Amino acid sequence: MVVTKEEVVAAITSSLSPSHLQVIDTSGGCGASFDVEVVSEKFEGKRLLERHRLVNAALAEQMPQIHALSIKKALTPSQWKPQSENEEPAKI
Amino acid sequence: LVCFSSALSPELKLTLDKVVSSHKVVLFMKGSKDFPQCGFSRTVVQILKTLNVPFETMDILENEVLRQGLKEYSSWPTFPQLYIDGEFFGGCDITVEAYQSGELQELLEKTMCS
């Protein structure tokens, strides 16, 4: 059974109630593979390893069928804001 | 509640304790450091080579018992898995981020000097 992007979104949404979530399907035909960006209050006070563990746990059911999962961002809402501002072109 | 039969036997756990504590840097990966079999494993090998630290690698593709047992041992579902100083450090994404922030160099320097 192939895991869909929608299932990944649903599983992360129900476990981590993210304020921002982006899931990109990177499978290209060689098995389920995704890039994810998650912004969630549940990451507050947690180190990167623990944050990634939370994402892995949210997908525990799907994980055996997922070929590759790349967690590009696991941020708290306060970390996410300054970063998205930085991405805008500098104004002087 | 679902009960899983454990892939991590007490013997395998002891062996893994020994492996990760007898080398300062151990990478469980797909393939070997000279012939990585997956882009994620290759990325971590390249980072470790760039940082010029001695490291051991173990090929999980050659040993299914090791592969399944490690997932439980590390509580981590995917490979590669990097161990530094006897402790699980992370997978590919964590290693890349720590490398970019300089945190990995710092930890490795501390580990190598200890």
Side-chain angles (χ1 to χ4, degrees):
Chain A
M1 206 182 66
V2 176
V3 176
T4 63
K5 178 183 154 180
E6 287 68 33
E7 287 173 80
V8 173
V9 169
I12 294 177
T13 302
S14 77
S15 305
L16 297 172
S17 26
S19 58
H20 166 84
L21 173 63
Q22 182 177 292
V23 178
I24 298 171
D25 188 333
T26 54
S27 60
C30 79
S33 171
F34 304 95
D35 282 2
V36 298
E37 281 182 17
V38 191
V39 179
S40 168
E41 278 177 9
K42 301 213 170 153
F43 294 150
E44 212 76 62
K46 294 198 168 60
R47 295 183 50 219
L48 190 58
L49 178 63
E50 297 172 76
R51 293 177 186 194
H52 281 221
R53 282 199 196 282
L54 284 176
V55 178
N56 289 337
L59 292 168
E61 218 175 285
Q62 289 80 18
M63 220 48 177
Q65 276 82 45
I66 292 178
H67 172 72
L69 179 76
S70 191
I71 303 170
K72 299 292 181 194
K73 288 191 176 104
L75 302 173
T76 61
S78 56
Q79 288 174 317
W80 171 243
K81 270 192 197 135
Q83 199 158 4
S84 45
E85 277 160 23
N86 285 345
E87 278 165 18
E88 284 172 24
K91 285 171 215 151
I92 300 167
Chain B
L1 192 76
V2 185
C3 287
F4 295 100
S5 64
S6 178
L8 184 64
S9 66
E11 294 77 22
L12 181 56
K13 189 183 176 302
L14 269 178
T15 308
L16 288 172
D17 284 341
K18 238 181 252 169
V19 170
V20 301
S21 59
S22 56
H23 308 282
K24 292 197 168 179
V25 182
V26 185
L27 181 65
F28 297 96
M29 60 178 287
K30 294 183 176 175
S32 66
K33 72 168 89 167
D34 295 317
F35 295 101
Q37 306 269 335
C38 166
F40 299 97
S41 289
R42 183 180 302 113
T43 299
V44 176
V45 165
Q46 272 169 351
I47 287 174
L48 294 174
K49 283 186 175 171
T50 304
L51 294 175
N52 207 20
V53 289
F55 61 102
E56 292 297 317
T57 62
M58 294 195 88
D59 185 357
I60 53 98
L61 293 176
E62 285 187 348
N63 189 331
E64 187 60 24
V65 175
L66 176 69
R67 181 180 186 163
Q68 295 310 326
L70 261 171
K71 291 182 186 180
E72 272 178 52
Y73 185 76
S74 315
S75 309
W76 194 258
T78 53
F79 291 93
Q81 296 186 0
L82 180 62
Y83 274 79
I84 299 174
D85 213 9
E87 269 189 60
F88 179 59
F89 181 76
C92 181
D93 297 325
I94 287 177
T95 306
V96 168
E97 192 164 328
Y99 172 61
Q100 285 166 349
S101 71
E103 197 190 309
L104 183 63
Q105 291 93 310
E106 205 177 294
L107 174 64
L108 286 171
E109 272 167 32
K110 218 189 285 169
T111 305
M112 291 305 159
C113 294
S114 67

